[in-house]
Amino acid sequence: MFKFTSSEVRDLIIAFVVISLCFGIANTGRDINALMNLLPMIMVGVGLGFILHELGHKFVSMRYGYWAEFKLWPQGLLFALVTSFFGFVFAAPGAVYTYANYMTDEINGKISIAGPIVNILLALGFLLVATWVYPSAFYSGISVLIFIVCSLGYSINSFLAAFNLLPIGNLDGSKVLRWNIGIWIAIMAIAGIMTLLSMTMGVENIVRLITGF
């Protein structure tokens, strides 16, 4: 059964708020007015991306019969805040800890890859909605707002997928790589290309390329 402890809910909320703030700072610098305007929209992408990423790990862990719980990493949260002022977010505010006496590399890899796959699917979902509303964004303020939210959602979630798949430290990528190098290469390539396109072309140009608009 999918259960949460009170401390887990608290840690998820704290991490969500601070990571949203970090992405806001990274995108707006020290412009407080821009930050306040952009933050609610960023929170949609980060909220879905971060929370569902962690729930992906938790769900797969519990499907295997393990107890899993998200725990905050204060040092990681502070580091994310510091790096955001340099235009980059080291997004490691905590992790889902799976409690097991023994776990194979395969199971650990499948648990670990669940989070990045959630982010990739969310990014594609945001891109789909952005593509759908783009034509009407030229004359509808609501469509413009939805397009901006979806653009941010695509950029943030593709980045979260690629970042977490890096094979360093205790990030998801290290565990996936130990399990299956072929799967790691394939998923990392997808996340990396999506992130690269977001950073070089921009979401609007991606949408224009898709729609020919």
Side-chain angles (χ1 to χ4, degrees):
M1 187 176 178
F2 218 50
K3 293 182 179 179
F4 295 89
T5 64
S6 57
S7 60
E8 183 178 20
V9 173
R10 177 203 63 205
D11 286 359
L12 282 167
I13 292 172
I14 293 172
F16 158 60
V17 171
V18 177
I19 287 296
S20 296
L21 181 62
C22 290
F23 275 101
I25 293 170
N27 278 276
T28 61
R30 295 177 176 83
D31 189 333
I32 300 299
N33 289 330
L35 175 61
M36 291 300 102
N37 289 329
L38 199 61
L39 188 58
M41 292 182 280
I42 285 178
M43 291 178 84
V44 176
V46 174
L48 287 172
F50 169 69
I51 299 294
L52 293 181
H53 174 105
E54 299 302 337
L55 292 185
H57 293 315
K58 184 180 177 78
F59 177 76
V60 176
S61 295
M62 298 184 80
R63 287 281 293 178
Y64 279 107
Y66 303 124
W67 172 252
E69 182 177 355
F70 177 82
K71 290 190 176 182
L72 199 66
W73 182 34
Q75 295 92 332
L77 211 58
L78 179 61
F79 192 55
L81 192 58
V82 171
T83 58
S84 68
F85 285 95
F86 296 92
F88 172 80
V89 181
F90 188 88
V96 169
Y97 289 82
T98 300
Y99 298 91
N101 293 325
Y102 174 75
M103 185 186 299
T104 65
D105 285 343
E106 180 181 358
I107 291 176
N108 199 14
K110 288 178 178 178
I111 291 171
S112 299
I113 205 171
I117 286 178
V118 167
N119 290 129
I120 289 171
L121 293 176
L122 280 171
L124 292 174
F126 277 120
L127 184 61
L128 180 64
V129 176
T131 302
W132 177 59
V133 302
Y134 184 69
S136 62
F138 290 93
Y139 55 83
S140 169
I142 293 176
S143 293
V144 170
L145 182 61
I146 294 173
F147 182 80
I148 293 172
V149 169
C150 290
S151 296
L152 290 167
Y154 172 83
S155 299
I156 290 169
N157 277 280
S158 58
F159 169 79
L160 286 174
F163 174 80
N164 279 283
L165 282 167
L166 292 174
I168 57 175
N170 203 37
L171 293 178
D172 298 329
S174 299
K175 302 160 194 173
V176 177
L177 191 60
R178 279 199 303 269
W179 162 45
N180 191 309
I181 187 172
I183 290 177
W184 177 81
I185 290 173
I187 302 301
M188 184 61 180
I190 292 169
I193 290 170
M194 290 170 64
T195 303
L196 183 64
L197 290 174
S198 171
M199 296 175 70
T200 55
M201 290 181 61
V203 178
E204 185 171 0
N205 286 327
I206 297 173
V207 169
R208 283 180 173 177
L209 185 65
I210 293 171
T211 62
F213 196 86

